[in-house]
Amino acid sequence: MNKWITLRGRKHSFQLDRRTLMVIVMLLIANLAAVVICVGLGSKTINPIDVLLTFVGQGDSSDAMIIFSLRLPRVLIAVMVGSALAVSGALLQGIVRNPLTSPDIIGITGGASLGTVIFILYFSHISIRFMPISAVIGAFAAAFLIYLFAYRKGITPLRLVLIGIGMATALTAVTYMLILTSSFTPTAVAVKAFTFMTGSIYGVSWDRDFWTLLPWLVVLFPIALIYARHLNVQELGDEVATSVGSSVQIKRTILLIISVALAGVAVAIGGAINFIGLMAPHIARKLVGPSYGGVIPVSALIGSLVLLLSDLIARTAFLPLDIPAGVFTAAIGAPFFIYLLYRHRNRS
């Protein structure tokens, strides 16, 4: 039996390994089960069967109000933000060919956070739909500065990571300084900014957050999948990629734009949630191998599952307190990053 499944379109075709397809299906089932469980758990527990009945319009009216007004927006935002961060990390690791790279490690998330906090502090009277634009601008500005400081007759993976870590720290410090020194900022706005910096999807809504984030992902995810094959070619090296007809610099720039934009919009809605962009691609490669046609969708599903479960623990384990989900992703991701640093300590 052929191990490959070929999907053909008018302009593009994809080959998908049968094992990769099986992993995707299993992760989809796990995500759907997690959505049902997360929607049902909280200060009032709703049975999974009752959750499913409510989804099809046969449930109790009070359950429907809790599910559709309070819990489902938060759960779906967790799916979307986790997926966006994971895909951003997978693309970034492929672009620089460095497994230690992720948007939060090298400061892109820090730039997006700074852009978002500036919007919250000084432009909150403007429509919330413009906040992702502010975050994306901050993310691109950070990416440009990192590239500028790391470039010295080319860029080595280790230098990029070290410059990025320094830039991330500096951007975080500037962001907190802005929050603390904005004397005319209302206390509620300052508290919102502090919560945002921890990484939390508390208080999200359909109109303000879900419908703001959805169009970005609908556009960026398919483009990321279409350009995944160029990452596979670039893994062989720039000279080989050029020899087989790939426009390396153009494709790399497009992929970087997609990665930075995904990180920016995810941070704008979910806050500075760290380490998902680092962990998810590594787990995906362990499951399906190095081909980015499989790594990207599997990373998205793993990222959404990680943030779903982190947010579930955050809002249920310490009731009535609602702990930011970023606390739990950091608790998992920091040891993971230290392990990767140790494992790659002899590589430059």
Side-chain angles (χ1 to χ4, degrees):
M1 184 176 67
N2 190 354
K3 68 174 290 191
W4 296 99
I5 298 173
T6 303
L7 305 174
R8 299 186 185 276
R10 290 184 178 181
K11 295 185 178 181
H12 301 279
S13 63
F14 298 92
Q15 275 195 328
L16 196 63
D17 185 84
R18 290 183 183 275
R19 179 188 172 188
T20 301
L21 182 61
M22 182 182 71
V23 170
I24 290 173
V25 170
M26 291 175 64
L27 285 171
L28 274 172
I29 294 171
N31 271 267
L32 290 172
V35 166
V36 172
I37 292 169
C38 290
V39 165
L41 293 179
S43 56
K44 177 187 177 183
T45 301
I46 303 174
N47 188 286
I49 301 298
D50 293 331
V51 171
L52 294 174
L53 289 174
T54 303
F55 282 162
V56 297
Q58 301 298 318
D60 184 81
S61 59
S62 62
D63 289 347
M65 190 275 292
I66 293 172
I67 289 172
F68 291 116
S69 299
L70 301 176
R71 295 182 185 171
L72 191 58
R74 181 167 179 166
V75 167
L76 294 181
I77 288 292
V79 169
M80 296 162 73
V81 169
S83 299
L85 291 172
V87 172
S88 176
L91 294 177
L92 202 57
Q93 289 177 13
I95 291 166
V96 301
R97 298 196 289 274
N98 183 359
L100 298 176
T101 309
S102 72
D104 50 290
I105 296 296
I106 68 168
I108 292 175
T109 296
S113 299
L114 178 57
T116 306
V117 167
I118 289 173
F119 184 91
I120 292 172
L121 295 179
Y122 303 110
F123 303 100
S124 56
H125 58 281
I126 303 175
S127 172
I128 195 71
R129 295 189 185 278
F130 291 101
M131 192 161 70
I133 297 175
S134 179
V136 169
I137 292 171
F140 274 108
F144 174 76
L145 289 174
I146 294 162
Y147 184 89
L148 189 66
F149 289 128
Y151 187 87
R152 194 196 316 166
K153 297 180 181 179
I155 293 179
T156 64
L158 183 59
R159 188 187 303 134
L160 181 71
V161 171
L162 292 176
I163 293 292
I165 291 172
M167 184 63 68
T169 304
L171 289 170
T172 301
V174 171
T175 305
Y176 278 119
M177 185 185 71
L178 275 178
I179 298 172
L180 292 170
T181 57
S182 298
S183 57
F184 58 86
T185 302
T187 302
V189 176
V191 170
K192 180 180 178 182
F194 273 117
T195 304
F196 168 86
M197 287 300 295
T198 313
S200 174
I201 51 177
Y202 171 79
V204 294
S205 65
W206 290 108
D207 184 61
R208 190 187 63 212
D209 301 291
F210 179 83
W211 295 111
T212 298
L213 181 58
L214 183 63
W216 290 82
L217 303 191
V218 167
V219 172
L220 293 173
F221 276 171
I223 298 175
L225 283 172
I226 290 170
Y227 277 85
R229 59 195 180 94
H230 297 290
L231 282 176
N232 294 330
V233 175
Q234 290 179 24
E235 285 287 309
L236 303 174
D238 290 0
E239 292 183 1
V240 174
T242 302
S243 69
V244 299
S246 177
S247 304
V248 174
Q249 295 304 325
I250 294 174
K251 300 298 191 299
R252 184 172 290 158
T253 301
I254 293 172
L255 286 162
L256 183 61
I257 290 171
I258 297 167
S259 175
V260 173
L262 281 170
V265 297
V267 169
I269 302 301
I273 297 172
N274 294 324
F275 292 111
I276 289 179
L278 178 72
M279 295 185 292
H282 277 276
I283 298 171
R285 281 191 288 271
K286 289 290 185 182
L287 292 175
V288 299
S291 175
Y292 279 88
V295 167
I296 288 175
V298 171
S299 295
L301 292 168
I302 292 171
S304 68
L305 194 59
V306 169
L307 189 51
L308 268 174
L309 297 179
S310 296
D311 187 59
L312 176 64
I313 296 170
R315 65 183 176 83
T316 59
F318 302 95
L319 287 173
L321 296 177
D322 195 321
I323 308 298
V327 172
F328 294 93
T329 61
I332 302 169
F336 189 84
F337 180 57
I338 293 169
Y339 161 74
L340 290 177
L341 280 175
Y342 176 78
R343 189 174 152 195
H344 295 272
R345 64 192 182 280
N346 295 322
R347 300 184 187 182
S348 61

